[in-house]
Amino acid sequence: MKIAMALSTGLFFFALSGVFFTLQQSSLIGCIAFFVTLWTNEGLPLGVVSLLPIVLFPAFGILDTKMTAANYANPIIYLFFGGFLLAIAVEKTKLHLHVANKLLGLFPATPRGMIFSLALTSALLSSILSNTTTTLLLISIAVFLTDNIKLKMRFALAITYGASIGGILTPIGTPPNLILLGIMQEHNMQLIPFFQWIFMVAPLSLFMLTSVGFLLSYGVNAIPIETKIEKKVLEPSQKKVMYLLLGLVALLFVNAPVRPYWNGLGMSESGILLGFGLALFMPPFNILQWNEDSKKIPYAIMFLFGAGFSIAKAFAQTGLADELASYLLHMTELSPLLLLLSVAVLITFTTEITSNTALISIMLPVIYSVAEHSGINTTLFMMVATLCASYAFMLPIATPPNAIAMSSGAVGVKDMMKYGIVLNLLGIFFIVFIAEYFWKNIL
């Protein structure tokens, strides 16, 4: 039934788009509708759907097999591959629990203090690990901290929202960020250096984390709570992973250019992340074992990245991006501020009903074409769209952390929508405000 629904959706969009576009472009739109429906209703496994472009794009004359398959070896994928290995090591050594213990100890044992500490812990971990992995690692803490149903729901949402907020803090925190870098690389645009990205996004993350803390703790701060987290000394394996992560951050910092004072080392960040991830299998670390731990690598997510890059390539190759851009060019008659706001609202609320990774794969090539044709700041508008794709807080389908919160049993759809709509609007406001008055002077 789910596959039939996806086929029907694909055929409908193919027929509808045939009125406005060429046969090749209509075929691409139909394929995308088919993929997005299957990603949404889970009619087929995520990895299977993500590999379908290699089969369907050549079959429908959209891209040949070589051109399609090349996107599954994009350097950005190996950057995230290294991040996955680091995440597996953190989980295996239980280093994340130690980090949680330290941060929880910095805040008072009140609902508001716990909400702030959980959101901050989740945000910081999501900045170097995937937000999906972080949410999976920490969601059990939310259930463990209290038996009060109201607080459990708020603690779970604190971890979920914190993961989405922190995921945008670095380029490797969430898939849309990596898709942005991949598309920028595809168009030979200057990539945003690692620490410049952090410098730009840190104020946004701070404003959003503060908003989450006060919003989720409203009306429950008087409820008594006792923390159950035990404090332990770091084990040797945890120290190894911690030192490796600190070394990674230090190397990324030295490698990042700070013009005109320092040009950086010029090393590939994908190579750095992959190298540090592979070091976990080698002496003196010996934290990971390939036969055991390689099974934990989420290859389906990596295939999803490949599908996203393939879709972006197909948009450019078939001319569909330029064609859609021509329909959207009338928006450029608006002031730059209103145009930024329109992009932010469109991406934020569209993400609520589809995968943020799939959506940003589709929209970034279109936004690139609109910006190129109108002469506006291309990087700025693509950055706004990318961050808005991660700042969708209302529905479980919008982002992986939202779905994980629902699966915990502590959060209902109504609860997520009630708090999510407020955070959606705050996210749009903060992103547009910071982009207009801060990023514009940097990018």
Side-chain angles (χ1 to χ4, degrees), residues 259-279:
R259 297 183 177 90
Y261 308 104
W262 171 247
N263 292 324
L265 299 178
M267 299 175 65
S268 164
E269 289 187 350
S270 297
I272 292 174
L273 263 292
L274 181 60
F276 273 73
L278 294 177

Side-chain angles (χ1 to χ4, degrees), residues 267-401:
M267 299 175 65
S268 164
E269 289 187 350
S270 297
I272 292 174
L273 263 292
L274 181 60
F276 273 73
L278 294 177
L280 291 161
F281 294 94
M282 308 173 188
F285 300 102
N286 296 318
I287 300 295
L288 300 182
Q289 302 295 323
W290 183 261
N291 290 337
E292 174 188 349
D293 297 307
S294 63
K295 299 174 184 177
K296 302 175 185 177
I297 298 171
Y299 294 104
I301 299 296
M302 296 173 63
F303 294 151
L304 180 62
F305 293 153
F309 293 138
S310 296
I311 290 171
K313 182 69 173 180
F315 259 77
Q317 195 71 19
T318 62
L320 182 57
D322 290 334
E323 195 69 25
L324 289 173
S326 68
Y327 288 104
L328 297 175
L329 273 176
H330 69 276
M331 290 182 61
T332 59
E333 298 174 2
L334 301 172
S335 68
L337 182 58
L338 285 178
L339 187 56
L340 270 179
L341 182 61
S342 299
V343 169
V345 171
L346 174 67
I347 297 296
T348 298
F349 286 99
T350 305
T351 302
E352 293 291 354
I353 57 173
T354 187
S355 159
N356 63 347
T357 303
L359 177 69
I360 209 65
S361 299
I362 295 167
M363 290 304 298
L364 280 184
V366 176
I367 291 172
Y368 173 84
S369 293
V370 171
E372 284 291 292
H373 281 84
S374 60
I376 58 181
N377 190 322
T378 307
T379 305
L380 180 69
F381 276 76
M382 292 175 70
M383 185 79 170
V384 167
T386 301
L387 299 191
C388 284
S390 293
Y391 274 24
F393 304 99
M394 287 175 56
L395 295 175
I397 197 175
T399 63

Side-chain angles (χ1 to χ4, degrees), residues 175-245:
N177 296 2
L178 297 170
I179 291 172
L180 169 64
L181 296 180
I183 291 176
M184 291 177 71
Q185 194 170 54
E186 179 75 22
H187 291 285
N188 296 316
M189 299 170 64
Q190 183 176 348
L191 298 183
I192 303 172
F194 195 92
F195 282 93
Q196 180 180 324
W197 181 297
I198 295 175
F199 174 71
M200 290 170 55
V201 176
L204 171 62
S205 297
L206 179 61
F207 291 148
M208 288 300 294
L209 285 173
T210 303
S211 301
V212 165
F214 283 105
L215 179 65
L216 292 179
S217 63
Y218 180 77
V220 297
N221 199 43
I223 298 176
I225 182 174
E226 294 182 6
T227 58
K228 304 176 184 179
I229 297 292
E230 298 179 3
K231 296 184 178 181
K232 296 181 179 179
V233 178
L234 276 177
E235 298 175 358
S237 60
Q238 292 174 326
K239 289 182 179 179
K240 289 180 180 180
V241 176
M242 183 183 69
Y243 293 147
L244 189 72
L245 289 173

Side-chain angles (χ1 to χ4, degrees), residues 10-52:
L11 288 172
F12 171 77
F13 277 93
F14 169 75
L16 182 63
S17 58
V19 179
F20 306 98
F21 305 106
T22 67
L23 177 62
Q24 185 188 41
Q25 294 168 347
S26 300
S27 298
L28 174 57
I29 292 173
C31 286
I32 291 171
F34 177 64
F35 300 151
V36 171
T37 304
L38 285 177
W39 278 324
T40 303
N41 67 14
E42 298 179 341
L44 288 173
L46 177 69
V48 173
V49 180
S50 300
L51 287 171
L52 285 177

Side-chain angles (χ1 to χ4, degrees), residues 152-171:
K152 277 187 180 183
M153 179 267 290
R154 286 167 171 79
F155 290 171
L157 286 178
I159 289 172
T160 300
Y161 292 157
S164 293
I165 291 168
I168 59 100
L169 188 57
T170 66

